[in-house]
Amino acid sequence: MASCSVVRIGPPSSPDCSVIRSAVLRHFGDDPRAQPPATPAAPGTAKANNANDGDELAVSNRYFDARVRLVGLKSPPVTVPEGAAAEDGVVLVFDSTAAGFDGLASHHDDATASGAGDLLRLCVSCSRGPSPLSDGTEKSEAEYSRRVLWCLDRGYEYVEADVTEEGLGRGHGERDK
């Protein structure tokens, strides 16, 4: 019996959530419905963040093959025709401001209460251009530490993403494999 991993992504109110979702779909699936990175999804071209069926992609490498369904953070439980769907992860997306980060606690609590998985937990700070925390000041370093510690306490990996078209393309194919 085939199975499907479910990864919840949100919150849906974050404008960067659709940008990250589209970038993931383009990277792993060459999904023609995925919009260019700097453009939010147009109605009818990508499924809504709260759709139960979500956006499905296939991840395949030399170690494993997986079907992954991206659904909204507050979507109802997912069912697939085969009946096997596992809630495996959550991706919290927020703008890089302190206010954006401070709003994540309630979304984390909701995801945990609804049974979102814990095999993959990402907390993605989105900026347009270099991260505002990369200026080297003591205040920026303290804020960065606060975010990383919050994420570690809840099992998340903290990552920063430049969501401009150039930023989303930077680094692909540049690391040793």
Side-chain angles (χ1 to χ4, degrees):
M1 178 189 303
S3 65
C4 181
S5 290
V6 175
V7 175
R8 295 188 176 275
I9 185 168
S13 59
S14 169
D16 295 320
C17 188
S18 64
V19 174
I20 296 296
R21 176 189 218 115
S22 291
V24 168
L25 290 169
R26 280 184 306 104
H27 180 76
F28 284 106
D30 289 330
D31 190 321
R33 296 172 302 140
Q35 297 296 304
T39 307
T45 59
K47 296 177 184 178
N49 283 343
N50 287 337
N52 185 38
D53 53 353
D55 292 306
E56 193 168 296
L57 54 106
V59 178
S60 183
N61 62 34
R62 65 182 176 190
Y63 303 109
F64 65 88
D65 296 318
R67 284 179 43 217
V68 178
R69 187 165 293 178
L70 298 177
V71 299
L73 198 56
K74 296 186 179 198
S75 295
V78 173
T79 57
V80 293
E82 306 84 39
E87 292 275 348
D88 284 331
V90 65
V91 179
L92 296 177
V93 180
F94 68 100
D95 69 71
S96 60
T97 64
F101 178 76
D102 291 338
L104 291 182
S106 65
H107 297 294
H108 163 74
D109 293 342
D110 290 345
T112 303
S114 69
D118 60 3
L119 294 177
L120 168 74
R121 286 195 173 179
L122 290 177
C123 189
V124 184
S125 172
C126 297
S127 64
R128 282 162 179 70
S131 168
L133 301 180
S134 64
D135 63 9
T137 65
E138 191 172 305
K139 182 179 176 183
S140 294
E141 289 191 18
E143 176 63 17
Y144 180 83
S145 293
R146 180 178 80 96
R147 293 177 183 193
V148 170
L149 290 174
W150 183 92
C151 290
L152 288 173
D153 287 346
R154 289 156 186 83
Y156 287 88
E157 180 75 26
Y158 177 77
V159 296
E160 295 178 338
D162 175 356
V163 294
T164 62
E165 190 169 348
E166 177 187 349
L168 289 172
R170 190 177 305 125
H172 290 278
E174 293 179 9
R175 65 180 181 89
D176 293 332
K177 295 180 175 113

